[in-house]
Amino acid sequence: MMDVDQAERLRKLVNDKQSVIQNQQFVENNNSNRNIEHKARIIAISSGKGGVGKTNITVNLAIALSMQGQRVLIIDADLGMANVDVVLGTSSKYNLLKLLEDEINMEDVIVNGPCGVKYLSGGSGIEQLANLGYNDLDKVMRKLNMCEDIADIILLDTGAGIGNNVLNFLRAADEVILVTTPEPTAMTDAYAIMKAYSNYPNCDTVKLIVNRVYEASEVFSVFSKLSKTAAKFLNLTVIGFGEIYEDRNLVRAVKAQVPLILMYPNTVSVKGIKTIAKNIMSGEVEAQTKGLKGFVSKFMSFLR
Ligand SMILES: Nc1ncnc2c1ncn2[C@@H]1O[C@H](COP(=O)(O)OP(=O)(O)OP(=O)(O)O)[C@@H](O)[C@H]1O
Ligand SMILES: [Mg+2]
């Protein structure tokens, strides 16, 4: 087992190496992609019940996707308890509202995490966007839109529950991944968020990850119950997107603040995460991918 000192060294090594490379990449990507119409794929990761594993899945999935050659940005969109940086082993000085200051640009608020993954702290700043005047909002949005050029995939780690904020993120995203565990409470809450989501126009499909699984039969049971009920009563398609096994190494990694996939690359839960990353890559990019600009304008229209 890795001790705390080893974990600390691993974390430092990963972060130091990445920050130099990443700052360089930010500039290069911004310059080279200007003329190409590129739209990032916006994937919201959410759940009905809290504490089911969204943040850990987001972070480790981001690294797995990055290892498969994707440029990935995580936006912490949990307005209450933003803790992506804790799991990622980085820390951000500013959230996106810092962009209001003239001399601050995207590269000042984006944190370079391990394996090329970038991280933007949205946090409570996202909610405050709604209170900005037109000029200030325009300023933040113009800078934010630059992220389109530096990411192929943007993962949004949302809060739990069926509050308006979470639903607005889901409605504005290109794709929605819901996380549940096999516990009846988590499943009931997953169904509640499916129901709330399916009430909106064009919100007809979600992808489902079953986390903290002990045996394969649980996955089938959870998926078939939720997908059948959602199809029958909500007219919502639920796509089984993969499972992640219960794994004590995940708790060890969280305590060490080193992403699981780096600390225990061969552990059972990482296999599940890598399969989910492959599912994301092999899934057809939705024809209606709106990209970051589309996402931002849609999200803002819900706030008004
Ligand atoms: N596959 C797993 N095996 C073992 N423990 C797990 C697993 N997934 C999650 N956990 C436990 O659940 C905790 C909460 O995970 P995480 O913070 O990712 O959930 P969350 O859904 O983001 O929570 P919140 O709703 O508060 O944002 C982890 O710190 C860990 O202790
Ligand atoms: Mg979380």
Side-chain angles (χ1 to χ4, degrees):
M1 201 183 90
M2 195 177 275
D3 64 29
V4 174
D5 283 349
Q6 274 175 301
E8 175 63 35
R9 276 197 297 278
L10 177 58
R11 193 162 54 238
K12 195 166 177 325
L13 190 77
V14 167
N15 288 341
D16 287 354
K17 226 172 38 194
Q18 288 306 321
S19 59
V20 177
I21 303 168
Q22 300 309 310
N23 277 332
Q24 185 61 32
Q25 274 177 354
F26 196 104
V27 175
E28 282 169 6
N29 286 331
N30 265 335
N31 291 338
S32 64
N33 287 347
R34 279 261 153 77
N35 300 325
I36 306 165
E37 234 248 291
H38 163 78
K39 283 184 179 173
R41 213 168 142 188
I42 317 286
I43 305 177
I45 300 183
S46 197
S47 68
K49 188 172 186 290
V52 294
K54 293 177 295 298
T55 301
N56 277 281
I57 291 171
T58 305
V59 164
N60 288 289
L61 199 53
I63 297 175
L65 286 164
S66 181
M67 287 169 167
Q68 291 181 26
Q70 295 297 299
R71 297 172 305 159
V72 188
L73 168 71
I74 300 174
I75 301 182
D76 196 331
D78 188 333
L79 308 187
M81 299 282 188
N83 50 18
V84 167
D85 45 3
V86 180
V87 176
L88 201 56
T90 58
S91 65
S92 54
K93 264 197 291 187
Y94 311 125
N95 77 18
L96 105 172
L97 268 199
K98 188 77 181 170
L99 293 172
L100 279 173
E101 296 176 22
D102 284 333
E103 66 281 13
I104 298 289
N105 284 310
M106 258 346 269
E107 55 268 43
D108 302 312
V109 293
I110 284 199
V111 175
N112 297 305
C115 298
V117 170
K118 293 177 190 299
Y119 162 58
L120 171 64
S121 168
S124 57
I126 297 179
E127 218 164 16
Q128 290 167 39
L129 288 179
N131 304 322
L132 298 180
Y134 179 81
N135 287 343
D136 280 346
L137 190 60
D138 192 52
K139 194 194 287 179
V140 173
M141 289 308 154
R142 276 172 197 274
K143 292 180 184 176
L144 189 63
N145 280 337
M146 283 174 67
C147 289
E148 190 95 70
D149 292 339
I150 59 154
D152 301 311
I153 296 181
I154 298 179
L155 297 180
L156 294 178
D157 179 20
T158 79
I162 54 168
N164 279 344
N165 276 318
V166 173
L167 285 170
N168 288 343
F169 286 124
L170 304 195
R171 290 167 66 199
D174 294 319
E175 292 157 71
V176 171
I177 296 180
L178 293 182
V179 181
T180 185
T181 68
E183 289 182 3
T185 43
M187 287 172 63
T188 308
D189 293 355
Y191 185 75
I193 199 168
M194 286 175 187
K195 186 172 178 190
Y197 176 71
S198 68
N199 272 329
Y200 294 102
N202 304 319
C203 294
D204 53 12
T205 308
V206 296
K207 288 153 182 164
L208 185 73
I209 295 177
V210 189
N211 187 27
R212 310 198 71 162
V213 168
Y214 284 88
E215 48 198 68
S217 60
E218 283 177 309
V219 183
F220 179 73
S221 156
V222 172
F223 175 69
S224 90
K225 275 183 199 148
L226 282 173
S227 62
K228 279 182 191 151
T229 324
K232 186 166 173 198
F233 296 106
L234 309 176
N235 216 4
L236 180 83
T237 305
V238 179
I239 300 171
F241 218 48
E243 66 273 7
I244 301 169
Y245 276 77
E246 174 75 21
D247 187 352
R248 290 182 64 185
N249 284 331
L250 186 141
V251 182
R252 293 189 179 111
V254 170
K255 282 188 184 153
Q257 281 185 256
V258 175
L260 173 82
I261 193 167
L262 300 179
M263 193 159 166
Y264 299 102
N266 299 315
T267 196
V268 59
S269 54
V270 166
K271 291 201 181 91
I273 286 161
K274 285 186 175 162
T275 305
I276 293 165
K278 282 202 190 99
N279 288 344
I280 289 181
M281 295 311 302
S282 64
E284 261 184 45
V285 178
E286 255 85 324
Q288 70 271 29
T289 292
K290 296 174 287 291
L292 185 65
K293 291 185 187 77
F295 170 80
V296 166
S297 63
K298 216 170 167 192
F299 183 76
M300 297 311 298
S301 75
F302 301 148
L303 293 181
R304 262 172 229 133

